Amino acid sequence: MARGAGPARKKSLNPGESEDGRGEWDWEKTSTPLAAKGKEPKFIKPSDKFSSTEGENVFCFLDIVGDPIPTITWFKASKDLTSEPRCKQWTMGPNQAILGFSKTKQEDEGEYRCEIENEHGMVEHLFSLYVTVAGGMDFRAMLMRKKKPAKKVVEKVEWIEEPVDRQVKMGTVDEVRFTAKLSCKGKKAKWYMRNAECYKGPKFGFENDEDTFTLIIKKPETGDTGRYTCTIRECNDLSCKGYLEVEPADPEYGFATKLKDKKGKTKRKVQLKCKIDDPGARVKWFKDGKEVMPSDPRFLIKNEDGVCTLDIRSAEISDTGEYKCVIEDFGKEGANETKCQVDIQEFQHSFTSQLKGKRVVEDETAIFELGVEEDDAPVKWYKDGVEIVPDGKRITIVCEGKKRKLIIKNCKIDDTCIISAKTTGDETSAPLDVNYHNGFKKGMRDFKQCVEREQIIFNVEVKDPNAPCDFFINGEPVDLSDGRIEVKDLGDGKRQLIINKAIMGDAGTVSCKTPSNKGDEILETKSNFSVIKGEEAPVMGDCGPVSGIAKKACAMTIPYKVEGEKQSDLEIIVEGPDGKVLKMGKDANLTIHGDRIQLDLINPTREKSGKYKVTMKNAQGSCEKWIDVNIMDKPTPPQSCKVTDVFHDNCVVHWTPPKDDGGTPIKKYVVECVDTTTGNATWTPVASTDDGGPKKIKVENLTQGHRYRFRVVAANKIGVSEPCEMSGDDILMKDPWDEPDPCGKPDILDWSPNHADLAWDPPAFDGGAPITHYVIEQKEKNMGQWVEGKVLTLKEVEEMGKKIKGKIDGLVEGCEYQFRVRAVNKGGPSKPGPPSESMIAKHRFIPPHIIGDGIHDITLKKGRPIRYDLWFGGEPAPSCEWLRNGRTLTNDDATSLELYSKNTIYTERNTVLSIPKADRARDTGRYTIRLTCEAGTFEASANVNVLDVPTKPRQLQPDEIRAEHVKLSWLPPEDDGGTPITSYLVRYMDIDSGEWVTACTSTTPNATATGLKPGHLYQFEVSAINKEGQSEPIFTGDPILAENPYRPPSQPGEPKIVDFDNKSVTLRWDKPKNDGGRPISHYIIQKKDKFGGWFDALITDDQNCVATIDELEARVPGLSEGKWYQFRIIAVNKAGESEPSPETKPHLCRHKNLSPSIDKGQAGSKTVRVSRTAFWQIKCKGEPPPVFTWWHPVHGELSSNENFTVMTDEYQGGSTTTLVVHHATPQDKGTYTLQAENRNGKEKIDLDLIVLDHLDCECNMYTNGDKQCSCQHSYTGKDPWMAVLTSSLDYFNGGL
């Protein structure tokens, strides 16, 4: 069909209007279902060109067939058209697929692709759509088309090398590469996996040359299976593709538990056991490198849930060797086998019981007994390793069946030994202990006596030196725990009971008991003894307080007593008050009488006073007494002496009591003085107290102007103490006052034109007499003379804390003054204090104020000067502060602050604020002048507005992103530049072109940028405009991709098979973690058999898919029994399909529950000759695999033994049972019953076995030696039946 041809264009624009017989179509029609036809998907004579006029609707029709009905997908290059807003897809039965475009545009022109796919495969068809401008292809339209950069193709661009499809197995390669090569250089390509772009990261890598583009898929997994497309956007979406299929990795099996070395005995069962990590692994057993066949009746091989066992039914010496278990297929390298050593040894006899030791007395009989396993087991008896030879009289050996006895009569002491019994493979031993016939050789004396706390000994002697001897006191066993009572064994049967430090309670009866060694007979000997009372600890009586006089003898008497019989000497120790022991003859004399002791202190002193400790002790204890002793002496001097209240003829003397009053109360204190004025006077008593109570006294009749010193002595009944003299200077007799100290410097608190309020510190010392009044003196500036200003009495001044406040008046306004103060008492005026600071007599407080017109508002353009020039006044002189928007201004590069003053009595000052070049951001605001002094605060403000362009808008963000437009919003500028915003300018830049284009203008802070190209990246900016100009733009952050805001969902969770039968499976899987921004519409369940690719098995809907909170479940029908399948899940939303989920493990389509069904064709009767072998091998279907039971009317239930071998082998969908009859006998004939059973039911069949006594068949096997004869007889030649059976089983299992 030629492009541009009128009739052809009309025909393809809407095929319903043509004469080819196809039905009409329009945009509002709905789809009608397709009909299944054929098998593989096919296109029927598809058109490869369609055309349309710009602005009109176009419909592209393709005829297709396929069974099941194929799925249809439309693409433009690699872009799925499902999400295109101007595209729509229909189906029209029985076999038409339709793609429509609404109001076609020039950019719709290009190459398109339609894919159809069912379980038999996938095919695609490429076609082109041409769009002409309205009015036809005249010269003007051709020029318009040439202006579009997309059509300026100066060279033909095509692929000269395309990717090659790859099929790999997971885990066998590190990476897979797809390479595409272009016919020209300098182009940019993008790779897509199932229409999703591939990005560089841990999964994908890229290697690009000028014309070659390579995609590297790292560590391919089954989820990486799919179509990979390389697309050149700038070449009208020129694409090429390659398909990658990643097969699941082979399983790897290993051993969870390995074999261990075993030891066994002949004729005993030996079991070898190991465990594989997957029950599905198959293993073989080997002995010394030769396979152990499952048919060998000497062995039993099992595999139960991965636990593999090999049982040697009855071990033989020849079974010793190396055994090995090997995984047949998919074993881990280096870990696919496990070995062990088996050691079989001959069976040894053993005793069934052990010898037990015997204890007998002289002349008694000892009998040793034990049992053996076998009646004929030989047993020999030994005494201390020497074989015992019976004499038939005293020593007898008895053998009765499985019992063996050794009898020794009239035992002697010499018979004590170790008795041993030995047999082949076992031995046992036990002691024989022959004891004395015991008795007392020597007993205890009938009576004994001792003194309390002394030692007493009891002796006995017995015949048996090893016999125990137990001692008792008054019938109770002796208590040896405290060590006071001892029992000693002196050897040769001699024993001693020793009681150390006997006590009165020990008196009574002592007995000794010993066994006679015959039965329970006990022998006893006794002795009575008494204990005499011993001495006790001494006890002293009371001794009252003792007084004495220093340097004179001091005696004291202390009574005491000691009861009981004397056993030790008395010891007396005396300790003084200082804790030291007195030395007798030096410090004191001690005399001991029968009932008292006399203690005399030698030459005592006052320091010997205190508590004396007297200790009297003997061997039994001690007694202590404390005696208060007071040695009296003269008192010590008073501790201090001082003088107070000094006047011209008297004073008061104070003192503190002596530290020690000498042991007797103070009677009086005597004050003495000495007149130091003349220099030759002596100490003379001048006053004394009546008793020892007062601690001060007034001393009178002293001479005025003289100097004195004083001291004090204390007196008690023993005598007078040493004196205590006053410290410090001599005391001058005079009255205690003088003229005051100078006053402090006056502070001027307040003033006016005619007065001043002053405050000053009072004198540090008032001279000893109260202040009567103050004198304020004043001096004018430039006058050198101080004059009395005012006299203030105490009533005219007031106290201000530690200061004195006073007022002076009569000042002249405008004059400058200084002040000073004198204090006056009865001793006279003080010296003048320091002068005050100078002051001017004037008004102190005048509120701050501006002189003149004040401050005013200013509006100016950026860069013009700002200046304020103001005069102000106030008292005291105010401080001046300039503020802008509440922040203090200071001198800097942009601002100048100046301050000038006039020389007048009252303040007049000039402040100038100057900003040469105004800046809006810095200088716009409210300016305030603040004047502050003690009289108050004054403020005046004005606004300064510096005009400028606005600041840039704020917080630009996209509110809605679509393929062809973006809605933007922002906040107005923080500053409009001092004049209202008139509009906003919105522009965008296509990242590919790098050119900024005006999108629109807006008077509100939002706008919509239209005319975008889908799939392109854009940057946006917005500027604000006022009458001063245009602001700086604000940009969006990262480039914005013009696309719809939803993507395919993430992959679903790995499906799990939760149920199955022979035609379907039920899958359960987790929902995708991310739905891609649009609800998931449905799921595609794909299946793959062992040799094919992935096909859609089911598309879910509300009827065939059940959803829970996090999981979904669906049943997949249409499976073929006996085939292996894998399954995976794809989630679908409006944006398309997700990545496939991980696939399931291979699953065999089979029954989950099937009652047993025995293969009757293999269950015929058998005829066999006597001593020949017969066998049945029968298959039975069933799930789970059935369990078999063989039964014979004579032998009952059959199991493997020397006459029969019963084996079972499971396969997928059932089990095989084998029964082998070895060396048939007439008793083996009859009807055998086979029962197969599982949880779903059971089935039985009967099989007849005929055993012939002689040859009654002339078949080819017997006549010609033909082993292929069809008769039922068995053959016992070189090829045993077991070999035939084993090979048959191996073939059968391998076939499954």
Side-chain angles (χ1 to χ4, degrees), residues 1138-1151:
S1138 71
E1139 295 288 332
S1141 71
E1143 63 266 17
T1144 63
K1145 292 182 178 179
H1147 169 75
L1148 177 65
C1149 183
R1150 65 187 189 276
H1151 288 281

Side-chain angles (χ1 to χ4, degrees), residues 1032-1062:
E1032 291 291 324
I1034 182 174
F1035 298 92
T1036 52
D1038 296 332
I1040 296 173
L1041 179 63
E1043 63 176 1
N1044 292 319
Y1046 40 84
R1047 295 181 178 277
S1050 60
Q1051 67 174 182
E1054 179 180 350
K1056 297 178 179 61
I1057 299 175
V1058 296
D1059 198 6
F1060 62 88
D1061 55 26
N1062 63 329

Side-chain angles (χ1 to χ4, degrees), residues 624-693:
E624 296 179 353
K625 285 295 180 179
W626 292 89
I627 303 173
D628 290 329
V629 177
N630 183 20
I631 305 300
M632 295 180 292
D633 201 349
K634 295 184 294 183
T636 59
Q639 297 183 65
S640 65
C641 176
K642 67 177 181 178
V643 179
T644 63
D645 301 326
V646 178
F647 292 92
H648 67 280
D649 62 350
N650 66 82
C651 66
V652 177
V653 178
H654 300 259
W655 62 89
T656 54
K659 197 170 188 180
D660 181 12
D661 62 1
T664 181
I666 301 297
K667 296 295 185 179
K668 65 177 179 178
Y669 292 95
V670 178
V671 179
E672 299 176 346
C673 74
V674 61
D675 187 344
T676 60
T677 305
T678 59
N680 56 0
T682 60
W683 290 96
T684 304
V686 291
S688 65
T689 62
D690 295 332
D691 53 37

Side-chain angles (χ1 to χ4, degrees), residues 1078-1092:
R1078 279 290 185 272
I1080 294 175
S1081 59
H1082 61 276
Y1083 291 88
I1084 300 174
I1085 302 178
Q1086 294 185 329
K1087 67 181 179 181
K1088 184 181 79 166
D1089 60 22
K1090 189 172 183 181
F1091 304 103

Side-chain angles (χ1 to χ4, degrees), residues 468-708:
C469 291
D470 298 324
F471 289 91
F472 298 84
I473 298 177
N474 295 325
E476 297 294 332
V478 295
D479 184 3
L480 306 177
S481 60
D482 59 359
R484 190 174 67 86
I485 301 177
E486 301 178 70
V487 175
K488 291 185 177 181
D489 186 351
L490 304 179
D492 296 329
K494 296 179 180 180
R495 307 285 199 282
Q496 277 188 343
L497 172 65
I498 303 172
I499 301 176
N500 297 306
K501 299 180 180 179
I503 60 176
M504 299 300 294
D506 291 337
T509 300
V510 173
S511 62
C512 178
K513 296 180 181 181
T514 185
S516 66
N517 292 334
K518 294 192 68 173
D520 298 330
E521 182 182 5
I522 301 298
L523 305 177
E524 183 178 14
T525 179
K526 298 181 180 180
S527 174
N528 296 318
F529 79 100
S530 61
V531 180
I532 301 173
K533 178 70 175 179
E535 69 179 6
E536 294 185 352
V539 177
M540 290 188 290
D542 293 332
C543 180
V546 176
S547 297
I549 299 174
K551 307 299 182 182
K552 294 181 180 180
C554 178
M556 58 193 83
T557 301
I558 307 170
Y560 79 96
K561 65 178 180 178
V562 179
E563 295 184 352
E565 185 172 340
K566 180 178 179 182
Q567 293 175 292
S568 61
D569 295 332
L570 279 174
E571 182 182 359
I572 301 174
I573 300 172
V574 182
E575 297 179 18
D578 55 0
K580 295 181 179 179
V581 177
L582 300 184
K583 296 180 180 179
M584 297 302 151
K586 180 180 179 181
D587 298 325
N589 293 321
L590 180 66
T591 305
I592 302 176
H593 302 282
D595 58 351
R596 68 188 184 282
I597 57 174
Q598 180 75 31
L599 179 63
D600 296 313
L601 300 180
I602 299 173
N603 197 20
T605 62
R606 175 66 180 159
E607 289 74 16
K608 296 293 184 179
S609 298
K611 288 184 177 293
Y612 283 75
K613 179 182 177 182
V614 179
T615 303
M616 179 180 290
K617 59 184 178 180
N618 61 10
Q620 314 311 322
S622 63
C623 179
E624 296 179 353
K625 285 295 180 179
W626 292 89
I627 303 173
D628 290 329
V629 177
N630 183 20
I631 305 300
M632 295 180 292
D633 201 349
K634 295 184 294 183
T636 59
Q639 297 183 65
S640 65
C641 176
K642 67 177 181 178
V643 179
T644 63
D645 301 326
V646 178
F647 292 92
H648 67 280
D649 62 350
N650 66 82
C651 66
V652 177
V653 178
H654 300 259
W655 62 89
T656 54
K659 197 170 188 180
D660 181 12
D661 62 1
T664 181
I666 301 297
K667 296 295 185 179
K668 65 177 179 178
Y669 292 95
V670 178
V671 179
E672 299 176 346
C673 74
V674 61
D675 187 344
T676 60
T677 305
T678 59
N680 56 0
T682 60
W683 290 96
T684 304
V686 291
S688 65
T689 62
D690 295 332
D691 53 37
K695 303 301 183 291
K696 65 179 180 177
I697 193 170
K698 186 176 182 180
V699 179
E700 297 180 318
N701 301 318
L702 301 176
T703 304
Q704 183 175 2
H706 283 221
R707 294 183 180 274
Y708 292 89

Side-chain angles (χ1 to χ4, degrees), residues 255-270:
F255 286 95
T257 304
K258 295 190 175 183
L259 292 174
K260 296 181 179 179
D261 293 345
K262 275 276 189 178
K263 291 184 177 181
K265 300 291 183 181
T266 56
K267 300 181 182 180
R268 294 293 185 269
K269 177 181 175 181
V270 177

